[in-house]
């Protein structure tokens, strides 16, 4: 077994960890939105937030092991390498944005519960930006895997990354619109 093979194995383990965490975060986000009470919604949000801590570790591990593999066999000026690094940076920045927004919302929800003295209905509007960024990150991550596999030039790599992120954002936007219709009907019936 070579050091390259070990780096590749660690690289793949980090990818599996990120994919698993992504599945859990998406499940928790859906359950959070569907939870009938604010307290239940917060429990799902807590699971998503705790699980999301895997992402920066996985991304840094992917970049570190990828750097080792690139240094031994490819050029740092290869378009797919440059695009992959740009994608990893975008994932970290976007993830930090999602985390900060989630923490701020959790603080607001705790204050709402404390001031009410009892559980409240889960009637808050979803954080559209966080939802779009979450799905855009998933699309971007899948696109990075495709770029690392196909190894196109810079323009092709950036195009694939843009397509992946845009597709994820579009999926999130459609899901948000689909959830808004039943919520609007429920509000109208309650009035």
């Amino acid at each position: 077994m070579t050091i390259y093979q070990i780096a590749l194995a660690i690289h793949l383990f980090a990818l599996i960890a990120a994919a698993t965490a992504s599945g859990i975060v998406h499940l928790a986000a859906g359950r959070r939105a569907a939870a009938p009470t604010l307290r239940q919604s917060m429990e799902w949000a807590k699971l998503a937030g705790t699980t999301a801590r895997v992402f920066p570790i996985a991304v840094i591990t992917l970049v570190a092991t990828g750097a080792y593999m690139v240094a031994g066999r490819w050029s740092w000026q290869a378009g797919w390498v440059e695009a992959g690094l740009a994608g990893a940076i975008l994932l970290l920045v976007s993830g930090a944005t999602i985390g900060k927004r989630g923490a701020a919302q959790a603080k607001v929800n705790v204050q709402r519960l404390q001031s009410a003295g009892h559980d409240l209905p889960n009637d808050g509007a979803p954080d559209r930006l966080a939802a779009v960024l979450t799905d855009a990150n998933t699309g971007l991550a899948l696109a990075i895997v495709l770029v690392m596999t196909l190894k196109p030039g810079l323009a092709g790599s950036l195009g694939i990354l843009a397509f992946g992120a845009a597709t994820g954002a579009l999926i999130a936007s459609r899901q948000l619109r689909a959830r808004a219709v039943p919520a609007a009907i429920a509000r109208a019936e309650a009035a």
Side-chain angles (χ1 to χ4, degrees), residues 45-73:
K46 183 178 177 183
L47 174 63
T50 301
T51 305
R53 292 179 187 158
V54 169
F55 292 121
I57 297 165
V59 171
I60 291 167
T61 302
L62 285 164
V63 170
T65 55
Y68 176 81
M69 292 185 292
V70 165
R73 297 195 180 181

Side-chain angles (χ1 to χ4, degrees), residues 7 12 15 45 84-85 96 100 114 144 165 178 183:
L12 293 174
L15 182 60
L85 286 172
K100 285 180 183 176
Q114 287 174 343
I144 291 170

Side-chain angles (χ1 to χ4, degrees), residues 6 25 29 53-54 59 62-63 84 94 97 101 110 130 146 148 153 172:
I6 293 169
V25 167
R53 292 179 187 158
V54 169
V59 171
L62 285 164
V63 170
S94 179
T97 301
R101 293 177 72 88
V110 166
L146 184 60
M148 296 297 110

Side-chain angles (χ1 to χ4, degrees), residues 162-182:
F163 178 78
T167 300
L170 179 62
I171 289 169
S173 295
R174 287 185 177 201
Q175 289 174 342
L176 287 167
R177 276 194 300 263
R179 285 187 209 132
V181 171

Side-chain angles (χ1 to χ4, degrees), residues 33-150:
T37 68
L38 185 57
R39 198 173 303 279
Q40 289 171 334
S41 174
M42 289 174 60
E43 287 298 319
W44 286 109
K46 183 178 177 183
L47 174 63
T50 301
T51 305
R53 292 179 187 158
V54 169
F55 292 121
I57 297 165
V59 171
I60 291 167
T61 302
L62 285 164
V63 170
T65 55
Y68 176 81
M69 292 185 292
V70 165
R73 297 195 180 181
W74 290 286
S75 166
W76 283 99
Q77 285 73 40
W80 59 274
V81 173
E82 293 172 337
L85 286 172
I89 291 167
L90 283 173
L91 287 173
L92 289 171
V93 169
S94 179
T97 301
I98 294 165
K100 285 180 183 176
R101 293 177 72 88
Q105 185 60 51
K107 192 178 215 181
V108 168
N109 288 342
V110 166
Q111 290 171 346
R112 284 181 63 205
L113 284 173
Q114 287 174 343
S115 66
H118 56 83
D119 205 354
L120 298 169
N122 182 24
D123 57 1
D127 184 342
R128 295 183 61 79
L129 178 60
V132 169
L133 287 177
T134 298
D135 284 2
N137 278 359
T138 299
L140 179 59
L142 291 170
I144 291 170
V145 171
L146 184 60
V147 165
M148 296 297 110
T149 303
L150 299 177

